[in-house]
Coordinates of all heavy atoms in Angstrom, one line a residue:
I28 N -5.3 -21.6 -3.9 CA -4.5 -20.7 -4.6 C -4.7 -19.3 -4.0 O -3.8 -18.4 -4.2 CB -5.1 -20.6 -6.1 CG1 -4.2 -19.6 -6.9 CG2 -6.6 -20.1 -6.0 CD1 -2.9 -20.2 -7.2
N29 N -5.7 -19.1 -3.2 CA -5.8 -17.7 -2.5 C -4.6 -17.5 -1.5 O -4.3 -16.3 -1.2 CB -7.1 -17.7 -1.7 CG -8.4 -17.7 -2.6 OD1 -8.4 -17.0 -3.6 ND2 -9.3 -18.5 -2.2
W30 N -4.0 -18.5 -1.0 CA -2.8 -18.4 -0.1 C -1.8 -17.5 -0.9 O -1.1 -16.6 -0.2 CB -2.3 -19.7 0.3 CG -1.3 -19.7 1.4 CD1 -1.5 -19.8 2.7 CD2 0.1 -19.5 1.3 NE1 -0.4 -19.8 3.4 CE2 0.7 -19.5 2.6 CE3 1.0 -19.2 0.3 CZ2 2.0 -19.4 2.8 CZ3 2.4 -19.1 0.5 CH2 2.8 -19.2 1.8
Y31 N -1.5 -17.9 -2.1 CA -0.5 -17.2 -2.9 C -0.9 -15.7 -3.4 O -0.2 -14.8 -3.3 CB 0.0 -18.0 -4.0 CG 0.3 -19.4 -3.7 CD1 -0.5 -20.5 -3.8 CD2 1.6 -19.7 -3.2 CE1 -0.2 -21.8 -3.4 CE2 2.0 -20.9 -2.8 CZ 1.1 -22.0 -2.8 OH 1.4 -23.2 -2.4
T32 N -2.2 -15.8 -3.8 CA -2.8 -14.6 -4.4 C -2.7 -13.4 -3.4 O -2.3 -12.3 -3.6 CB -4.1 -14.8 -4.9 OG1 -4.2 -15.9 -5.8 CG2 -4.7 -13.6 -5.6
R33 N -3.2 -13.7 -2.2 CA -3.2 -12.7 -1.1 C -1.9 -12.1 -0.8 O -1.7 -10.9 -0.5 CB -4.0 -13.3 0.2 CG -5.4 -13.6 0.0 CD -6.0 -14.3 1.1 NE -7.4 -14.7 1.0 CZ -8.1 -15.5 1.7 NH1 -7.6 -16.0 2.7 NH2 -9.4 -15.6 1.4
R34 N -0.9 -13.0 -0.7 CA 0.4 -12.5 -0.3 C 1.0 -11.7 -1.5 O 1.7 -10.7 -1.3 CB 1.3 -13.7 0.1 CG 1.0 -14.2 1.5 CD 1.3 -15.7 1.7 NE 1.0 -16.1 3.1 CZ -0.1 -16.3 3.5 NH1 -1.3 -16.2 2.8 NH2 -0.4 -16.6 4.8
T35 N 0.8 -12.2 -2.7 CA 1.3 -11.4 -3.8 C 0.7 -10.1 -3.9 O 1.3 -9.0 -4.2 CB 1.1 -12.2 -5.2 OG1 1.6 -13.5 -5.0 CG2 1.7 -11.5 -6.3
V36 N -0.6 -9.9 -3.8 CA -1.3 -8.7 -3.7 C -0.9 -7.7 -2.7 O -0.6 -6.5 -2.9 CB -2.9 -8.8 -3.7 CG1 -3.5 -7.5 -3.4 CG2 -3.4 -9.6 -4.9
L37 N -0.7 -8.3 -1.5 CA -0.2 -7.4 -0.4 C 1.3 -6.9 -0.6 O 1.6 -5.8 -0.2 CB -0.3 -8.2 0.9 CG 0.0 -7.4 2.2 CD1 -0.9 -6.2 2.4 CD2 -0.1 -8.3 3.4
A38 N 2.0 -7.8 -1.2 CA 3.4 -7.4 -1.6 C 3.4 -6.2 -2.5 O 4.2 -5.3 -2.5 CB 4.3 -8.5 -2.1
G39 N 2.4 -6.3 -3.5 CA 2.4 -5.2 -4.5 C 1.9 -4.0 -3.9 O 2.3 -2.9 -4.2
I40 N 1.0 -4.1 -3.0 CA 0.4 -2.9 -2.2 C 1.5 -2.2 -1.5 O 1.7 -0.9 -1.3 CB -0.8 -3.3 -1.3 CG1 -2.0 -3.7 -2.2 CG2 -1.1 -2.2 -0.4 CD1 -3.2 -4.2 -1.4
Y41 N 2.2 -3.0 -0.7 CA 3.4 -2.5 0.1 C 4.4 -1.8 -0.8 O 4.8 -0.7 -0.5 CB 4.1 -3.6 0.8 CG 5.3 -3.1 1.7 CD1 5.1 -2.7 3.0 CD2 6.5 -3.0 1.2 CE1 6.0 -2.2 3.8 CE2 7.6 -2.5 1.9 CZ 7.4 -2.1 3.2 OH 8.4 -1.5 4.0
N42 N 4.7 -2.3 -1.9 CA 5.8 -1.7 -2.8 C 5.3 -0.4 -3.3 O 6.0 0.6 -3.5 CB 6.2 -2.7 -3.9 CG 7.2 -3.7 -3.4 OD1 7.9 -3.6 -2.5 ND2 7.1 -4.9 -4.1
T43 N 4.0 -0.4 -3.9 CA 3.5 0.8 -4.5 C 3.3 1.9 -3.5 O 3.6 3.1 -3.7 CB 2.2 0.6 -5.2 OG1 1.2 -0.2 -4.4 CG2 2.4 -0.4 -6.4
T44 N 2.9 1.6 -2.3 CA 2.7 2.5 -1.2 C 4.1 3.0 -0.7 O 4.2 4.3 -0.4 CB 2.0 1.9 0.0 OG1 0.8 1.3 -0.4 CG2 1.6 3.0 1.0
E45 N 5.1 2.3 -0.7 CA 6.4 2.7 -0.4 C 7.0 3.7 -1.4 O 7.5 4.8 -1.0 CB 7.4 1.5 -0.3 CG 8.8 1.8 0.0 CD 9.7 0.5 -0.1 OE1 9.5 -0.2 -1.1 OE2 10.6 0.3 0.8
L46 N 6.6 3.5 -2.7 CA 7.1 4.4 -3.7 C 6.3 5.8 -3.6 O 6.9 6.8 -3.8 CB 6.9 3.9 -5.0 CG 7.6 2.6 -5.4 CD1 7.1 1.8 -6.7 CD2 9.1 3.0 -5.6
V47 N 5.0 5.8 -3.2 CA 4.2 7.0 -3.0 C 4.8 7.8 -1.9 O 5.0 9.0 -1.9 CB 2.8 6.7 -2.8 CG1 2.0 7.8 -2.3 CG2 2.1 6.1 -4.1
M48 N 5.2 7.0 -0.8 CA 5.7 7.6 0.4 C 7.0 8.4 0.2 O 7.2 9.5 0.7 CB 5.9 6.4 1.5 CG 6.4 6.9 2.9 SD 6.8 5.6 4.0 CE 7.0 6.5 5.5
M49 N 7.9 7.9 -0.7 CA 9.1 8.6 -1.0 C 8.9 9.8 -1.7 O 9.8 10.7 -1.6 CB 10.0 7.6 -1.8 CG 10.6 6.5 -1.0 SD 11.8 5.5 -2.0 CE 10.8 4.7 -3.2
Q50 N 7.8 10.1 -2.3 CA 7.5 11.4 -3.0 C 6.4 12.2 -2.3 O 6.1 13.2 -2.8 CB 7.0 11.1 -4.4 CG 8.0 10.1 -5.2 CD 7.6 9.7 -6.5 OE1 7.4 10.5 -7.4 NE2 7.1 8.5 -6.6
D51 N 6.0 11.8 -1.1 CA 5.0 12.4 -0.4 C 5.5 13.6 0.5 O 6.3 13.3 1.3 CB 4.2 11.4 0.4 CG 3.0 11.9 1.1 OD1 2.6 13.2 0.9 OD2 2.3 11.3 1.8
S52 N 5.0 14.8 0.3 CA 5.4 15.9 1.1 C 4.3 16.4 2.1 O 4.4 17.5 2.6 CB 5.9 17.0 0.2 OG 4.9 17.4 -0.7
S53 N 3.2 15.6 2.2 CA 2.1 16.0 3.0 C 2.4 15.8 4.5 O 3.4 15.0 4.8 CB 0.8 15.2 2.6 OG 1.0 13.9 2.8
P54 N 1.7 16.6 5.3 CA 2.0 16.4 6.8 C 1.8 15.0 7.3 O 0.7 14.3 7.0 CB 1.0 17.3 7.4 CG 0.6 18.3 6.4 CD 0.6 17.6 5.0
D55 N 2.8 14.4 7.9 CA 2.7 13.1 8.4 C 2.4 12.1 7.4 O 1.8 11.0 7.7 CB 1.7 13.1 9.6 CG 1.9 11.7 10.5 OD1 3.0 11.2 10.6 OD2 0.9 11.2 10.9
F56 N 2.7 12.3 6.2 CA 2.5 11.4 5.1 C 1.0 11.0 4.9 O 0.7 9.8 4.6 CB 3.4 10.1 5.2 CG 4.9 10.4 5.2 CD1 5.5 10.6 6.5 CD2 5.5 10.5 4.1 CE1 6.8 10.8 6.6 CE2 6.9 10.8 4.1 CZ 7.6 10.9 5.3
E57 N 0.2 12.0 5.0 CA -1.3 11.8 5.0 C -1.7 11.2 3.6 O -2.6 10.2 3.6 CB -2.1 13.1 5.3 CG -1.9 13.6 6.7 CD -2.6 14.9 6.9 OE1 -3.1 15.4 5.9 OE2 -2.6 15.4 8.0
E58 N -1.1 11.7 2.6 CA -1.5 11.2 1.2 C -1.1 9.7 1.1 O -1.8 9.0 0.5 CB -0.8 12.1 0.1 CG -1.2 13.4 0.1 CD -2.7 13.6 -0.3 OE1 -3.2 12.7 -1.0 OE2 -3.4 14.5 0.2
T59 N 0.0 9.4 1.6 CA 0.4 8.0 1.6 C -0.6 7.0 2.3 O -0.9 5.9 1.8 CB 1.8 7.9 2.3 OG1 2.8 8.6 1.6 CG2 2.3 6.3 2.3
W60 N -1.0 7.4 3.5 CA -1.9 6.6 4.2 C -3.3 6.5 3.6 O -3.9 5.5 3.6 CB -2.0 7.0 5.7 CG -0.7 7.4 6.4 CD1 -0.4 8.3 7.1 CD2 0.4 6.5 6.3 NE1 0.9 8.3 7.6 CE2 1.5 7.3 7.0 CE3 0.8 5.3 5.7 CZ2 2.8 6.7 7.2 CZ3 2.0 4.9 5.8 CH2 3.0 5.5 6.6
R61 N -3.6 7.6 2.9 CA -4.9 7.5 2.2 C -4.8 6.6 1.0 O -5.8 5.8 0.6 CB -5.3 9.0 1.7 CG -6.6 9.1 1.1 CD -7.1 10.5 0.7 NE -7.1 11.3 1.9 CZ -6.2 12.3 2.3 NH1 -5.2 12.5 1.4 NH2 -6.4 13.0 3.3
F62 N -3.7 6.7 0.2 CA -3.4 5.7 -0.9 C -3.5 4.3 -0.4 O -4.1 3.4 -1.0 CB -2.0 6.1 -1.5 CG -1.7 5.2 -2.5 CD1 -2.0 5.4 -3.9 CD2 -0.9 4.0 -2.3 CE1 -1.6 4.4 -4.8 CE2 -0.5 3.2 -3.3 CZ -0.9 3.4 -4.6
L63 N -2.8 4.1 0.7 CA -2.8 2.7 1.3 C -4.2 2.2 1.6 O -4.6 1.0 1.3 CB -1.9 2.7 2.6 CG -1.9 1.4 3.4 CD1 -1.4 0.2 2.6 CD2 -1.1 1.6 4.6
E64 N -5.0 3.0 2.3 CA -6.4 2.6 2.6 C -7.1 2.2 1.5 O -7.9 1.3 1.5 CB -7.0 3.7 3.4 CG -8.3 3.4 4.0 CD -8.9 4.4 4.9 OE1 -8.3 5.5 5.1 OE2 -9.9 4.2 5.6
N65 N -7.0 3.0 0.3 CA -7.8 2.7 -0.9 C -7.3 1.5 -1.5 O -8.1 0.7 -2.1 CB -7.5 3.9 -1.8 CG -8.3 5.2 -1.3 OD1 -9.2 5.1 -0.5 ND2 -7.8 6.3 -1.8
R66 N -6.1 1.2 -1.5 CA -5.6 0.0 -2.1 C -5.9 -1.2 -1.3 O -6.3 -2.3 -1.9 CB -4.0 0.0 -2.2 CG -3.4 1.1 -3.1 CD -3.7 1.0 -4.5 NE -5.1 1.3 -4.9 CZ -5.6 2.6 -4.9 NH1 -4.8 3.6 -4.7 NH2 -6.8 2.8 -5.2
I67 N -5.9 -1.1 0.0 CA -6.4 -2.3 0.8 C -7.9 -2.5 0.6 O -8.4 -3.7 0.5 CB -6.2 -2.0 2.3 CG1 -4.7 -2.0 2.7 CG2 -6.8 -3.0 3.2 CD1 -4.0 -3.3 2.5
A68 N -8.7 -1.4 0.5 CA -10.2 -1.6 0.1 C -10.4 -2.2 -1.1 O -11.3 -3.1 -1.2 CB -10.8 -0.2 0.3
D69 N -9.6 -1.9 -2.1 CA -9.7 -2.4 -3.5 C -9.4 -4.0 -3.4 O -10.2 -4.7 -4.0 CB -8.8 -1.7 -4.5 CG -9.2 -0.4 -4.7 OD1 -10.4 0.0 -4.5 OD2 -8.4 0.4 -5.2

């Protein structure tokens, strides 16, 4: 079951990070990459 779970979680992380990116005005999207790093760690 982990095969599906891992892919579903990663898809969710990609989508939410994409949404953060569209509203990010920080230099070189620093806030987006910080958000991504935290979600991957979680």
Side-chain angles (χ1 to χ4, degrees):
I28 189 65
N29 292 319
W30 192 93
Y31 308 98
T32 304
R33 289 171 181 172
R34 282 154 178 76
T35 305
V36 169
L37 187 57
I40 291 174
Y41 180 88
N42 281 335
T43 53
T44 307
E45 180 184 44
L46 294 169
V47 170
M48 184 181 186
M49 288 188 288
Q50 304 174 73
D51 186 2
S52 58
S53 62
D55 193 35
F56 300 93
E57 293 176 357
E58 294 296 328
T59 297
W60 313 135
R61 187 175 298 111
F62 174 87
L63 170 61
E64 186 171 6
N65 292 335
R66 299 292 74 76
I67 293 290
D69 291 343

